[in-house]
Amino acid sequence: MGPRILIVEDEEPLTLLLRYNLEAEGYTVDAVARGDEAEVRLREQVPDLVLLDWMLPGLSGIELCRRLRARRETERLPVIMLTARGEEGERVRGLATGADDYVVKPFSVPELLARVRALLRRAKPGHVATVLTAGDIELDRETRRVRRSGRELHLGPTEFKLLEFLMQSPGRVFTREQLLDGVWGHDVYIDERTVDVHVGRLRKAINRARKPDPIRTVRGAGYSFDETFSHAE
C-alpha cells in the first residue's frame, strides 16, 4: 500500500479530481469536507500527508493546521495548503502557521503530484521508495511489476497492493481487519475472510517452483511478511 493522504476539501469536484489522480499514483486516499470532521479523523488515524483547503466549514484550514502543529502526534505531519488566496501576505501566514507547502488554486495537477512526492520523500523516505526489495522479491511501484529471482510474477491489482503493504513492514503481524483497512480502505465493507482468499492467491503467485513462502500465518492473529527478508529501497 502506498502512503496515506487525507484530502480536506469542501469542493466535491476538486476532491474527486485529486482522489482520482492520487490513487492512480498508488496512494491510499481518504477525504472529508469539513474542518471539524478532519480534526476528529486525524485524532483517530494520522495519515502520511494532508492536502488542506484554507476555507472550510466547521473549522478553517488555517486553524486546523495550527492545532495539528500543537499536538505531539501531528506536529511533523506534512501539510500542503490549497487555497484561492494568492496574495503574498496570505502565503506567508499559511506557511507561518505550519503548512509545509502552499498551492494556489487553480493549480496544475502534475505539479501538485510532484510537490506531494517531494514532500513525502523528505518526510518519510522509506514510504516513497520506487522499488521495495525483500530477499529475492522485488516490487516496482512505478511499473507495477513484481519479480522473484529475476523472474516476473503476474499478480492481480489486489494481490499487488497486499504484497506492497506487507513488504513495507516486514516482521509486523497484521490482523485481517488491519489488512482490510490498509489494502481495501476503511470505507469498504467486505468480509474479513476475503483477506484469506487474496493471501492464498498471492502465495500461489509468488511461491512457484517451490520457493520459500515469505508470508507467515500467525494463528489467531493474522499475517506477516517473514522478517528474515530485508526491506530496502
Side-chain angles (χ1 to χ4, degrees):
M1 182 197 67
R4 287 183 173 274
I5 295 179
L6 175 64
I7 301 170
V8 189
E9 170 63 63
D10 62 339
E11 296 180 31
E12 186 176 1
L14 179 56
T15 298
L16 292 173
L17 176 66
L18 291 173
R19 180 190 287 275
Y20 174 82
N21 283 277
L22 288 166
E23 289 181 343
E25 290 278 310
Y27 299 109
T28 299
V29 180
D30 196 6
V32 293
R34 294 178 56 90
D36 48 0
E37 292 176 3
E39 185 176 28
V40 172
R41 185 72 58 87
L42 286 160
R43 288 185 180 276
E44 294 172 348
Q45 183 178 46
V46 178
D48 295 298
L49 182 142
V50 177
L51 294 176
L52 180 61
D53 187 26
W54 182 304
M55 299 295 290
L56 292 167
L59 182 69
S60 72
I62 201 80
E63 175 60 19
L64 177 57
C65 187
R66 186 191 67 76
R67 294 184 186 185
L68 291 175
R69 294 300 179 240
R71 288 182 59 222
R72 188 171 132 186
E73 296 83 358
T74 53
E75 63 182 358
R76 297 185 181 276
L77 174 63
V79 175
I80 297 179
M81 188 77 75
L82 308 177
T83 178
R85 296 168 177 259
E87 298 83 1
E88 181 181 356
E90 299 296 346
R91 292 199 300 272
V92 170
R93 183 183 172 198
L95 294 169
T97 304
D100 297 281
D101 203 349
Y102 191 103
V103 179
V104 178
K105 302 175 185 177
F107 51 78
S108 158
V109 172
E111 180 184 350
L112 177 63
L113 294 175
R115 289 173 181 263
V116 167
R117 285 193 296 270
L119 185 51
L120 283 172
R121 191 177 298 116
R122 293 196 302 268
K124 301 192 175 187
H127 279 217
V128 291
T130 300
V131 177
L132 300 178
T133 58
D136 59 351
I137 297 176
E138 180 182 284
L139 182 148
D140 191 316
R141 285 169 158 161
E142 288 192 349
T143 64
R144 312 297 286 178
R145 291 181 175 178
V146 178
R147 292 180 175 83
R148 185 163 193 183
S149 298
R151 179 181 179 182
E152 186 167 348
L153 305 177
H154 300 285
L155 305 182
T158 302
E159 285 69 46
F160 182 93
K161 290 180 181 179
L162 182 59
L163 179 61
E164 181 184 20
F165 186 78
L166 290 168
M167 286 180 69
Q168 286 181 158
S169 304
R172 177 178 171 180
V173 177
F174 291 97
T175 66
R176 291 178 179 86
E177 182 179 0
Q178 288 172 326
L179 289 172
L180 281 175
D181 285 346
V183 178
W184 283 266
H186 42 233
D187 293 330
V188 178
Y189 297 97
I190 54 179
D191 190 271
E192 289 186 359
R193 294 297 168 180
T194 301
V195 173
D196 299 335
V197 173
H198 286 282
V199 168
R201 291 176 182 171
L202 176 58
R203 278 177 160 153
K204 185 177 180 180
I206 65 177
N207 297 332
R208 296 184 184 278
R210 297 182 179 180
K211 291 283 188 178
D213 186 358
I215 300 174
R216 186 164 60 97
T217 302
V218 181
R219 189 178 297 276
Y223 298 98
S224 72
F225 197 85
D226 194 333
E227 60 188 344
T228 62
F229 284 71
S230 61
H231 172 217
E233 294 186 21

